[in-house]
Amino acid sequence: MKSICALFLFIFNLLPLEKNAPISRLDLKKYSGTWYSLYSIPTIFDKGSRETTTKYSLNKEGYFDVLTTYKKPHDEQTYSRNSKMFPSDTGSNGELKAQFIWPIKVDYWIIELADDYNYVVVGHPDRKFLFIMSRNKNMPKKQYEEIIARCKAKGYDVSKLTSQHHDKLG
């Protein structure tokens, strides 16, 4: 019996304490606009980039045209790429799909969003990537630390987060 209890506790400690899931309500118009990527567990498209800014423009077809600008390491030139972001079938929750290369779509989950749409945390169902973005180039240190704690509780390896080198934490 002790072995079973020990095994149960061991497995329970491996599981995230909070559910990794998209938010239930998303106003696409409020989400539109410019976001500064402050910290990330990057995708293959984002590795090594810095000072990344993403502009989401909701088009008349109901999905986002996305313009991402960034700098490469040791290079002051600004680069850009276009992509698309598709909302869920209902269009009202944080479960979106990103399309960098047609026809491939990647899960893009908004797992946390400030009530005033001042910051957002974007994740993935398999916890492959994570983005902490803000409407500003910086974020208060305490707020960042609280976000990190919640992401860790959801099972994200926050030790892999890299800075996008905008302004430092406030």
Side-chain angles (χ1 to χ4, degrees):
M1 185 67 173
K2 285 183 182 181
S3 298
I4 292 172
C5 288
L7 180 62
F8 177 77
L9 286 174
F10 175 75
I11 291 171
F12 181 77
N13 284 329
L14 293 176
L15 298 174
L17 299 178
E18 292 184 31
K19 186 176 179 185
N20 181 42
I23 61 171
S24 60
R25 303 300 269 153
L26 175 65
D27 183 323
L28 296 176
K29 289 181 182 176
K30 283 184 180 179
Y31 195 75
S32 295
T34 300
W35 292 94
Y36 295 95
S37 181
L38 303 180
Y39 293 88
S40 66
I41 299 174
T43 69
I44 58 170
F45 298 103
D46 306 299
K47 286 197 191 256
S49 64
R50 63 185 173 87
E51 298 178 47
T52 302
T53 303
T54 306
K55 183 176 181 183
Y56 297 86
S57 300
L58 189 60
N59 63 35
K60 60 185 173 189
E61 286 83 26
Y63 65 85
F64 290 106
D65 292 312
V66 182
L67 174 64
T68 303
T69 58
Y70 60 97
K71 293 181 180 177
K72 295 180 180 179
H74 313 294
D75 185 350
E76 289 305 310
Q77 181 177 340
T78 300
Y79 297 87
S80 66
R81 71 174 168 270
N82 293 300
S83 59
K84 296 176 182 176
M85 186 76 59
F86 298 90
S88 66
D89 291 338
T90 64
S92 64
N93 69 18
E95 188 174 349
L96 297 105
K97 298 276 187 183
Q99 185 177 64
F100 302 102
I101 301 169
W102 184 86
I104 301 167
K105 293 180 182 173
V106 178
D107 288 313
Y108 177 105
W109 280 10
I110 298 173
I111 60 172
E112 187 172 325
L113 180 62
D115 291 338
D116 63 359
Y117 285 65
N118 188 46
Y119 79 85
V120 65
V121 181
V122 176
H124 186 271
D126 295 332
R127 300 168 184 85
K128 293 178 182 179
F129 59 80
L130 184 70
F131 294 92
I132 299 171
M133 300 188 298
S134 175
R135 297 291 188 178
N136 304 301
K137 289 184 178 182
N138 58 29
M139 174 179 282
K141 185 176 181 180
K142 183 179 180 197
Q143 183 179 45
Y144 169 76
E145 290 170 350
E146 291 169 351
I147 292 169
I148 294 302
R150 289 189 296 270
C151 290
K152 185 174 183 179
K154 291 177 183 173
Y156 287 90
D157 184 355
V158 296
S159 69
K160 292 182 179 179
L161 280 169
T162 60
S163 172
Q164 282 285 307
H165 302 287
H166 288 286
D167 293 342
K168 297 192 180 211
L169 294 172

